[in-house]
Each structure stands twice: as C-alpha cells, then as structure tokens.
Amino acid sequence: MQLLKKLWKPPPVIYFLILITIITLFISNFASASVIVSGIEFIGEATLPTGLSFQKTEVGGLSGITYDDKTDLYYAISDDRGEKAPPRFYTLKIDLSQGKLTKNGVIPVAVTTLLNANNQPFTKGITDTEGIALTKKSTVFIASEGDVQQLINPFIQEFSLASGQLKTTLPIPDKFLPDPRGKKGVRNNLAFESLTITPDENSLFTASENALIQDGEAAKSGSGTPCRILQYNLLTNQPEKEFLYPTEPVTPVFNLTGRFASGLPDLLALDNQGHLLTIERSFTGLGFAIFLFQVSLDNADDIHNINSMVAVDTPLVQPVTKKLLLDLQTLDVALDNIEGLTLGAKLPDGEPSLILISDNNFNGLQTTQILAFKLKIASPLTKFWNLLQIHGTQ
C-alpha cells in the first residue's frame, strides 16, 4: 500500500476539481432549499374597466391569479356567485416583454365555466370562489368561501384547466366548518380567500382571511386578527399542518364612513421550504392599505391539534415569522381592492416578476387593477456569504 502511494500521486488539478464539485453541489442544494426576496421594484400598472364584456360574461371579481410558464398565460378566478354568469375563471395574457407593464398590457383570451360533480355549472349562490392555483397536471385547485349564513361549507376542489370539470375535493378540517350555533368555524366572507402550491407540488396552502370564531376576534380598526394557515399534503390529499398568522393592526387616519375591513386575502409559496409571500389588505373607509410580507414557517408551531386558540396560552404558541417587503401605499398609484398575487413571467433581464390583481366587486367606482413588480432574489453565493458573516460574528 505504501508502495502504491509512492508510485501514484494525484495531480493538483484533481483536488481542484473535487473542491469545485463539492462547492457546486453545496450551492445547488442551498439554492433549492430556500428563496429569499432581497428587493422589489414596481414596473407598471394596467386596468380592465368594470362592465367589460367577454364571451357573454362580465369580467370582474378577480380575486386570485396563477401563472403557467409553459404557455405564458395567467388564470384568474372570479368570485361572482352566479349573479352575472356561472362561476368561472378567465385566461389572461399579460405582456411583460418590455420589462414593464403598460396600461393596455392585459387582455382576456378565454373563459372557463366550473362544473360540479354532476358535470353541470354550479347553481347561483352555492360558491364564493376566491383562490386559484395551477398544477403541472393541467388542472387548477380553486378555493370557495362558501356562505356561513346559509351553512354552505367552504371547499377546495381541483378542476380540469381545459373543461372546468371537477376532479378532486379536498377534505376540510371540522374546526373550519361553520355550525348552526355560530360557535366555531370560518366567519362569513372571511374564509378561504387564498390558495398556493409549492413548486414540487407536494404541498398546498390556504388560510382563513380572519380568525376562526373559536380563535379570537375579527380584525377591527387598531387591531389585527389571528388567522390560520392550513397546509395540505398533495401526495395524500389530506390536511397536514396549521400555523398561526397574526395580521398587522391598521388604524385609519381619516374614516368618515366608519366602514373597516382587514385580513389575509392571498399567499404565495416561494419554495418547498415554507417561505411565502402574503398580502394583507385593509379597507380604511376612503381607500385601501395594502402590505406585502415575506413569511417563513421555519420556527412556527404546528397548531392543527389546537381546536381553539382562545382555550390555550397563546403567547406560548410560536406564530409564523413575517418581514415587511413593501407598503403599497408608497407607490404613486391609487390602490384598488388587491386580493391576488402570483409569480409571473421572467423579465428580459432574467429576474422574476410578481403580479397582483384586484377584485372590483363589480362596482362602477372601481376597476380591475393589475400591478407588476420585479423581484430581486438573493443568489446562492450571496446567501452563503451572509451565512458565513452571521456565523463569523457569533
């Protein structure tokens, strides 16, 4: 053995190649582990007028949006309960080819009617479809808030992208379902607004827009509300985990109308490791306050075994970690009722885009507003260097 070592010594280039391979594998694994947004830049606004007619339907109530990078098309769900046309989603073309969104850069190109278990359009008043998320199987999951006053349960169902035909229904944990006594479950019109799927399609997330009745108070001026994020395992189609998400308190500076509403209307999975973007939207009487947060589930407690947050020592429960990414009130635009977000097309410089969309409530005083942003994602080397610096200062 000693003779073999003397006869053959690896050239220095072998050590160099081994080192490069180790570093490459490390960076690759590090990159796939998490996505961190290090910056955001506003790159334009487009609007669709209220009353816009397309294929014998009124385009409006667009409460959620998702993107197909294979076709460069977007799908937006309408929350119309069947008043204007049967429940449906729209296919949109959004032009970001110049690295920005112009005022005429969004056009509808198709509409798809949702079909129930009997392969018929949903009847009026049965659904309140708010969230949408695309899969690689040419299907979309759609979330409905239901109607608490009529004891119509919320649902999360999978539909064919081409035909709108119902494919799958996910079970909803009992704690989210309303009861006749009004002692538990989601609040009316404050249920499942949000929907997102991780890139590996192993997990689906939704959230209550406000606290469940048994978890605490709904949001009001000057105080937030304890929402629940609900995580499904899409390998089993079963609910798996839940996390506490407290919204931020918002106090209107000037509110003549006395009307106020605030909550969590959408979330977006950035990676497979529990890193999300969330929107918090408040109606302040004379306008909207919209905040975009970067969220981590890393250290949050799983609360799926807790049926009521009021019944436990809440300070002992670790909520999700939140970091404010953008206060949209700082933009030079008049904000509408922003309710949906999705990662969009890659921009000409290779950076990812983020698209936000508003629900116009079919109100002539509002429009369907689409906002576009450029995201700056921290590179693996930057994250590695920051990690070394953190450890170096400890």
Side-chain angles (χ1 to χ4, degrees):
M1 190 67 180
Q2 293 297 327
L3 179 60
L4 182 61
K5 288 181 179 179
K6 290 180 181 179
L7 291 175
W8 186 78
K9 289 185 178 181
V13 68
I14 295 297
Y15 293 109
F16 178 75
L17 290 174
I18 292 173
L19 179 61
I20 291 298
T21 301
I22 292 172
I23 292 174
T24 301
L25 288 172
F26 176 81
I27 291 176
S28 176
N29 290 332
F30 199 82
S32 63
S34 62
V35 171
I36 304 298
V37 178
S38 59
I40 184 168
E41 176 188 347
F42 178 57
I43 57 171
E45 172 193 19
T47 59
L48 299 175
T50 295
L52 175 64
S53 180
F54 179 78
Q55 294 186 4
K56 298 181 180 180
T57 70
E58 182 177 340
V59 179
L62 303 187
S63 299
I65 189 167
T66 188
Y67 175 65
D68 187 350
D69 60 358
K70 295 182 180 64
T71 60
D72 193 28
L73 293 172
Y74 298 77
Y75 303 98
I77 185 70
S78 173
D79 68 359
D80 181 7
R81 300 189 182 202
E83 299 285 345
K84 306 286 184 179
R88 60 203 179 276
F89 64 86
Y90 290 91
T91 305
L92 304 176
K93 187 71 176 176
I94 301 179
D95 185 6
L96 299 175
S97 60
Q98 302 302 311
K100 60 183 179 180
L101 177 62
T102 61
K103 63 179 182 180
N104 298 316
V106 179
I107 57 171
V109 296
V111 59
T112 305
T113 299
L114 299 177
L115 304 178
N116 61 21
N118 297 319
N119 215 30
Q120 298 295 317
F122 285 89
T123 56
K124 182 179 174 181
I126 295 296
T127 69
D128 183 12
T129 47
E130 301 275 0
I132 185 168
L134 179 72
T135 77
K136 297 172 184 175
K137 302 180 296 180
S138 295
T139 63
V140 285
F141 278 93
I142 289 175
S144 170
E145 292 195 287
D147 190 324
V148 172
Q149 294 175 346
Q150 298 185 60
L151 291 180
I152 298 174
N153 288 336
F155 70 64
I156 301 171
Q157 295 181 332
E158 184 181 14
F159 298 85
S160 165
L161 190 62
S163 67
Q165 185 177 17
L166 176 63
K167 297 291 186 183
T168 307
T169 298
L170 300 184
I172 306 295
D174 182 71
K175 68 170 72 73
F176 290 88
L177 301 179
D179 70 355
R181 299 178 301 157
K183 298 295 185 181
K184 75 171 183 71
V186 294
R187 289 178 158 88
N188 197 48
N189 208 33
L190 294 172
F192 295 153
E193 284 252 357
S194 54
L195 207 61
T196 188
I197 296 174
T198 53
D200 63 8
E201 300 202 347
N202 287 344
S203 297
L204 175 147
F205 293 93
T206 186
S208 59
E209 187 181 357
N210 265 221
L212 304 183
I213 290 172
Q214 69 271 25
D215 279 345
E217 297 291 332
K220 57 186 177 181
S221 179
S223 63
T225 184
C227 304
R228 281 188 190 238
I229 293 177
L230 171 58
Q231 179 180 353
Y232 283 84
N233 182 334
L234 289 183
L235 301 179
T236 62
N237 283 345
Q238 295 297 313
E240 190 171 62
K241 298 178 180 180
E242 296 169 24
F243 304 95
L244 179 64
Y245 182 104
T247 65
E248 299 302 306
V250 174
T251 304
V253 176
F254 191 64
N255 187 355
L256 283 177
T257 67
R259 294 178 58 200
F260 181 84
S262 186
L264 172 64
D266 209 0
L267 41 78
L268 172 66
L270 291 172
D271 55 30
N272 305 319
Q273 309 300 321
H275 298 104
L276 311 168
L277 294 183
T278 62
I279 296 172
E280 294 186 23
R281 177 238 22 225
S282 301
F283 176 68
T284 62
L286 291 176
F288 294 93
I290 315 289
F291 300 95
L292 184 65
F293 288 91
Q294 191 163 203
V295 173
S296 173
L297 307 180
D298 284 347
N299 299 311
D301 290 331
D302 178 6
I303 59 171
H304 81 276
N305 286 323
I306 300 175
N307 289 321
S308 169
M309 295 305 299
V310 173
V312 301
D313 192 354
T314 304
L316 297 180
V317 176
Q318 181 66 40
V320 303
T321 303
K322 297 165 56 181
K323 177 184 177 182
L324 180 63
L325 192 60
L326 180 66
D327 176 356
L328 273 70
Q329 295 173 103
T330 61
L331 303 178
D332 189 23
V333 295
L335 297 174
D336 212 297
N337 183 32
I338 298 293
E339 289 195 355
L341 80 167
T342 187
L343 290 177
K346 286 289 182 69
L347 298 169
D349 62 3
E351 298 287 4
S353 65
L354 178 72
I355 300 294
L356 276 60
I357 197 165
S358 75
D359 172 3
N360 68 351
N361 295 308
F362 297 97
N363 184 338
L365 298 178
Q366 296 178 249
T367 62
T368 297
Q369 181 181 52
I370 300 94
L371 303 176
F373 299 85
K374 177 195 291 189
L375 294 182
K376 182 69 175 178
I377 304 297
S379 70
L381 284 175
T382 300
K383 290 187 283 186
F384 182 46
W385 177 249
N386 290 338
L387 188 64
L388 288 177
Q389 287 184 313
I390 290 172
H391 285 294
T393 57
Q394 292 178 344

